[in-house]
Each structure stands twice: as structure tokens, then as C-alpha cells.
């Protein structure tokens, strides 16, 4: 039974240097038992697939064929990862499994897996694993991924919801983002691996604090958990109101994103140009999304926000000016990366362009997200009287939807998110693309 788990991957199980075959057998046995338990409870007609599911998830998620794809989040969310004895395998394997689960849109199970493996930002220590002098690359990557996966899940829900699950995930994302930044500071000199690790940690913390600032400012989340509380103190003479807390989160996000943009815009980094371009464009788009979140809060409260204490480069921070600045950042990000993509000479046909090996998949995913956000902010701006000449939101929504379908298929949460924004029908079962 255990041997069949390893054979199910075609006999090509990769063993990391720190792993032992006896431990992998133990993991395989425990995983089969856990998957059998979950399938018996949630998909009893498919319990015979427990072995295949265990092999696919633990040793090669790319080969997974879940019995009921629409129920995959429920099934894998019920897995007790510690029961799978994943503490016996290399941390790099855990990160790989989590990454592939996230690519399937299973962001909550992916983050739960990383948290169960010892990177839990919800523990009593607000910055777990962050003792100065004991940082590890794996810790930084794991915290960054937890933050990213939870924020991706929240965005896939399309709308801000007053949900206990969303509030919990948002607090965990902020705590994980702060832990990632603490574990991955920018190096004194430009070291490619460390530099990009720090850039992505700052990026994900910026995304998390953007959503937190919006949720708090709109009154959807009133009591952040202790390890996700604002890091600033309220301005002198001002009470610690929802607006003041919201401003603190936006300020924290801006500080991290602008520091990252400033460092990436400097000289001295010549390696990994694609990754560097993606990181810069993603950070620029994240700042645009933060400004949109701040604009929605300012519009809701009918108040100007104090989120630029050291710079007034965008002028008076009214909701309208914030929206204009958001559009500027998102448009710059999209055009900058699209220019890079076009320079590779991909086919104008979307299907072929998405399959072109010269264009990194990550760049296309980023363009999908940026196009979707750009269209969303355009719609918001038009409601405030900010006219964007020559641009229609539907053009960017359509682009985002077509590329999403090519990359992920019609039933992926990211695809469904764009469909909802376009007011398309989104069912819970398999639906045909209309």
C-alpha cells in the first residue's frame, strides 16, 4: 500500500539531501491514512483514490486528479497536515507542495500546510522564527508565501466581506508579511537571491496592509488580532479611531513598497532581468492597489487621509487624487511589463502567447492581476468624475479573463473572480465557457 504511493508518481520521487527513504515511507503511510479519513468523510464514493491523492499531493501535485474539483478546497482544508508526518521531509518539499496547491487556487490549504510545518504567524510570538542572527531563507520564503496565499484568497472573493474567516486570514497575512520582512532585510550590497527575496517580502506585506487598511477603514474589521495591530501610534491629539488605524496600515504599506521601489530603481543589479522586471512591476501595481484601497476608505468616510507624512508628491490626499495616483501606478506597471513581454516577440494570438516559453508564466499572471485591478479602478474613478480618456474598463477585464482562462482554465478561483467583476454567471459546479 505504501509502495503504491511512491509508484504512483512514476518512480521519480525526488529526495532532498536532508531526507531519508525510511522517512519518506513513513510520510507516505501517514498520508494515505489521512487522505483516506478525509475522503471517507467528504467524498465517500472516492475513498479508493486515497492512495493516488496522497501520492499526488505529497510527491507531485502536478499529477493530481481530485475526484471532485469543486470540493477540493473543502477536502484539503480538512486535512490534518501534522498527521501526514510532513515534519519528516525537507522544508523545500513543503514549500514546493504549497506552491503547487496555490497554483490550483487552493490557497487556504497551501497556507495551512506551511503554518502546520512550524511557520505559524498566529502563535503567541508575533514574529515567530525571527530571532536576529538566526534567520533562514526557508523561513523568509515560507512567511512570504503564507502572506501571498492568504491575500490571493481574499482577492479571489471579489468583494470586501464582513466574515470571521476573512478577518482571521487577513490578520494572519499581516503577521506573516511582517515576519517575512524581518527575516529578509535588504542586503547592504546587491546580492541577487537575497535582494529579490527582500523585494517580494516587502511586496506581500504591502499587499496585506493595503487590504487591512481598507477593511478597518470601511468598518468591516474592527478588532485586529494582537500580532496584526497597527505599528504606529496615533498622531498627537487624535484618538485611535478606525480612520487612524486605517491610515497606519496604509502608511506601513507605503513605507515598505516605496523603499523597495527605490532600491530596485537603483544601479548595480544586472542579473535575472526578468525576475527583477516582474518584481518592480508587481511592486508598482501593489502601490497602485494600496492607493485605490485608501481612496475607497477616504470616499466612504468623506475625509482626507494622512498617509504621506513625509511627502506630498500626490498633493492633497483626497479620494479623487488618490484614485488618480492609483490609475497612474497601475497603468505604468501594466505598460512597462507588456513592453518587456512584447520585446520577446510572442504571437499576437493569446493562446500561443500564453504557451510561449520565452515569456515567464509569472509575468502573464501579474498582467492578469494588474489588468483586472486597472479596470476595477477605472470603474471606481468614473463614478467619482475622474474620466480616463480613450480607455474602457471592459477592454482590460476582457484581456484579464481571456488570459486567465488560458493559464488556469474556466473554473479556477481567479477566473471566477474576473467573471464576477464582469457580471458573468459563476456557478459552483462545472460550467461551460459561454
Amino acid at each position: 500500500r505504501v509502495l503504491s504511493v511512491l509508484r504512483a508518481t512514476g518512480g521519480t520521487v525526488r529526495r532532498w539531501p536532508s531526507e531519508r527513504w525510511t522517512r519518506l515511507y513513513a510520510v507516505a503511510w501517514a498520508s494515505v491514512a489521512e487522505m483516506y479519513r478525509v475522503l471517507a468523510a467528504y467524498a465517500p464514493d472516492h475513498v479508493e483514490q486515497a492512495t493516488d491523492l496522497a501520492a499526488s499531493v505529497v510527491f507531485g501535485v502536478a499529477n493530481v486528479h481530485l475526484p471532485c474539483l469543486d470540493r477540493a478546497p473543502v477536502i484539503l482544508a480538512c486535512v490534518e497536515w501534522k498527521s501526514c508526518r510532513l515534519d519528516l521531509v525537507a522544508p523545500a518539499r513543503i514549500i514546493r507542495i504549497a506552491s503547487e496547491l496555490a497554483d490550483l487556487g487552493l490557497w487556504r490549504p497551501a497556507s495551512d500546510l506551511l503554518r502546520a510545518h512550524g511557520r505559524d504567524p498566529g502563535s503567541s510570538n508575533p514574529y515567530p522564527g525571527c530571532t536576529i542572527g538566526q534567520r533562514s531563507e526557508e523561513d523568509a520564503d515560507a512567511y512570504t508565501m503564507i502572506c501571498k496565499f492568504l491575500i490571493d484568497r481574499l482577492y479571489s472573493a471579489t468583494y470586501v466581506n464582513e466574515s470571521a474567516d476573512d478577518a482571521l486570514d487577513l490578520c494572519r497575512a499581516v503577521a506573516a508579511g511582517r515576519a517575512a520582512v524581518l527575516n529578509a532585510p535588504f542586503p547592504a550590497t546587491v546580492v541577487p537571491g537575497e535582494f529579490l527575496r527582500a523585494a517580494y517580502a516587502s511586496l506581500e506585506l504591502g499587499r496585506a496592509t493595503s487590504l487591512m487598511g481598507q477593511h478597518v477603514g470601511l468598518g468591516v474589521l474592527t478588532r485586529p488580532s494582537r500580532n496584526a495591530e497597527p505599528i504606529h501610534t496615533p498622531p498627537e491629539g487624535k484618538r485611535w479611531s478606525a480612520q487612524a488605524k486605517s491610515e497606519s496600515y496604509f502608511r506601513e504599506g507605503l513605507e515598505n513598497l516605496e523603499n523597495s521601489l527605490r532600491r530596485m530603481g537603483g544601479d548595480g543589479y544586472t542579473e535575472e532581468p526578468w525576475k527583477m522586471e516582474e518584481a518592480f512591476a508587481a511592486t508598482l501595481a501593489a502601490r497602485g492597489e494600496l492607493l485605490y484601497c485608501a481612496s475607497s476608505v477616504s470616499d466612504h468616510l468623506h475625509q482626507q487621509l494622512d498617509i504621506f507624512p513625509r511627502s506630498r508628491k500626490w498633493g492633497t490626499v483626497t479620494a479623487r487624487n488618490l484614485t488618480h495616483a492609483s490609475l497612474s501606478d497601475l497603468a505604468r506597471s501594466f505598460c512597462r511589463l507588456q513592453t518587456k513581454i512584447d520585446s520577446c516577440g510572442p504571437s499576437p494570438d493569446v493562446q500561443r502567447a500564453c504557451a510561449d516559453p520565452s515569456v515567464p508564466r509569472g509575468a502573464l499572471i501579474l498582467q492578469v492581476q494588474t489588468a483586472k485591478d486597472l479596470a476595477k479602478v477605472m470603474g471606481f474613478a468614473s463614478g467619482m468624475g475622474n474620466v480616463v480618456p480613450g480607455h474602457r474598463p471592459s477592454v482590460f477585464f476582457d484581456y484579464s479573463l481571456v488570459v486567465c482562462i488560458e493559464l488556469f482554465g474556466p473554473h479556477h478561483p481567479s477566473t471566477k473572480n474576473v467573471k464576477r467583476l464582469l457580471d458573468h454567471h459563476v456557478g459552483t459546479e462545472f460550467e461551460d465557457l459561454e
Side-chain angles (χ1 to χ4, degrees):
R1 183 180 177 188
V2 172
L3 284 173
S4 67
V5 174
L6 299 181
R7 288 170 182 161
T9 65
T12 57
V13 177
R14 175 184 176 184
R15 182 173 65 85
W16 270 266
S18 62
E19 295 179 333
R20 299 290 180 268
W21 284 116
T22 52
R23 292 185 175 184
L24 289 181
Y25 283 122
V27 170
W29 173 266
S31 301
V32 169
E34 175 61 11
M35 299 302 174
Y36 185 92
R37 180 189 72 80
V38 174
L39 286 173
Y42 294 93
D45 295 337
H46 302 279
V47 290
E48 69 278 3
Q49 294 181 335
T51 299
D52 293 339
L53 183 58
S56 296
V57 172
V58 179
F59 298 109
V61 173
N63 303 319
V64 72
H65 297 289
L66 295 175
C68 298
L69 192 59
D70 273 352
R71 279 192 277 172
V74 175
I75 292 172
L76 290 179
C78 296
V79 171
E80 293 290 342
W81 295 110
K82 290 184 179 179
S83 299
C84 296
R85 302 298 308 279
L86 295 181
D87 57 306
L88 297 178
V89 303
R93 183 183 297 280
I94 302 299
I95 289 176
R96 180 192 61 78
I97 295 171
S99 297
E100 295 189 355
L101 286 173
D103 198 50
L104 294 172
L106 302 172
W107 296 296
R108 171 70 73 75
S111 65
D112 287 347
L113 169 61
L114 291 169
R115 290 175 52 247
H117 200 250
R119 276 90 174 184
D120 186 1
S123 65
S124 57
N125 177 3
Y127 304 113
C130 295
T131 304
I132 301 300
Q134 297 182 356
R135 301 186 183 101
S136 77
E137 295 178 357
E138 288 160 351
D139 281 341
D141 292 342
Y143 290 131
T144 299
M145 291 167 70
I146 290 172
C147 183
K148 173 178 170 52
F149 297 161
L150 293 174
I151 294 303
D152 285 347
R153 187 198 76 77
L154 289 166
Y155 270 115
S156 72
T158 309
Y159 306 110
V160 174
N161 297 306
E162 193 170 355
S163 158
D165 281 347
D166 285 1
L168 179 61
D169 281 354
L170 194 47
C171 290
R172 284 175 172 167
V174 170
R178 289 172 177 172
V181 168
L182 204 57
N183 270 271
F186 277 99
T189 56
V190 179
V191 182
E194 293 183 18
F195 192 85
L196 282 171
R197 182 171 287 109
Y200 278 108
S202 295
L203 165 64
E204 297 308 331
L205 177 56
R207 295 177 70 217
T209 51
S210 298
L211 271 190
M212 179 64 91
Q214 185 182 45
H215 278 65
V216 170
L218 296 179
V220 175
L221 197 161
T222 56
R223 294 176 65 102
S225 61
R226 186 181 66 84
N227 54 5
E229 290 177 344
I231 61 172
H232 302 97
T233 57
E236 187 176 351
K238 293 185 67 174
R239 62 187 181 89
W240 203 220
S241 62
Q243 178 178 339
K245 290 181 181 179
S246 178
E247 290 170 342
S248 176
Y249 287 118
F250 290 137
R251 197 177 302 127
E252 179 183 0
L254 278 173
E255 287 170 356
N256 280 277
L257 294 173
E258 293 192 339
N259 177 53
S260 187
L261 287 171
R262 188 165 51 251
R263 289 174 177 271
M264 285 190 285
D267 298 326
Y269 194 101
T270 57
E271 299 182 42
E272 302 180 278
W274 255 117
K275 290 184 179 180
M276 188 65 170
E277 195 66 34
E278 282 183 45
F280 189 92
T283 305
L284 190 59
R287 188 175 69 177
E289 178 65 12
L290 184 150
L291 295 171
Y292 159 71
C293 291
S295 176
S296 68
V297 171
S298 178
D299 184 60
H300 174 75
L301 298 175
H302 304 290
Q303 296 286 337
Q304 296 183 16
L305 298 186
D306 180 18
I307 60 175
F308 305 112
R310 299 175 188 170
S311 172
R312 296 289 179 181
K313 63 195 239 182
W314 284 296
T316 306
V317 284
T318 62
R320 187 165 181 170
N321 286 339
L322 286 168
T323 304
H324 182 76
S326 171
L327 285 170
S328 175
D329 276 353
L330 289 167
R332 283 177 58 206
S333 172
F334 185 85
C335 293
R336 178 179 178 127
L337 194 55
Q338 194 62 44
T339 300
K340 179 77 172 177
I341 292 173
D342 292 343
S343 69
C344 296
S347 168
D349 178 77
V350 171
Q351 186 175 18
R352 293 182 179 178
C354 289
D356 193 324
S358 66
V359 180
R361 178 181 171 87
L364 292 170
I365 293 174
L366 175 57
Q367 287 298 77
V368 165
Q369 296 170 342
T370 306
K372 179 260 297 178
D373 290 337
L374 186 54
K376 175 184 66 180
V377 179
M378 281 182 180
F380 183 75
S382 64
M384 302 179 66
N386 277 4
V387 180
V388 185
H391 292 88
R392 291 178 295 133
S394 60
V395 173
F396 290 96
F397 274 139
D398 290 343
Y399 170 88
S400 184
L401 179 60
V402 171
V403 178
C404 235
I405 290 172
E406 288 298 326
L407 294 176
F408 301 120
H411 311 298
H412 192 278
S414 295
T415 307
K416 292 182 177 182
N417 177 30
V418 180
K419 285 185 175 183
R420 278 190 290 269
L421 290 168
L422 281 166
D423 294 324
H424 287 193
H425 169 70
V426 177
T428 56
E429 301 296 332
F430 287 105
E431 69 242 20
D432 293 325
L433 181 63
E434 298 180 352

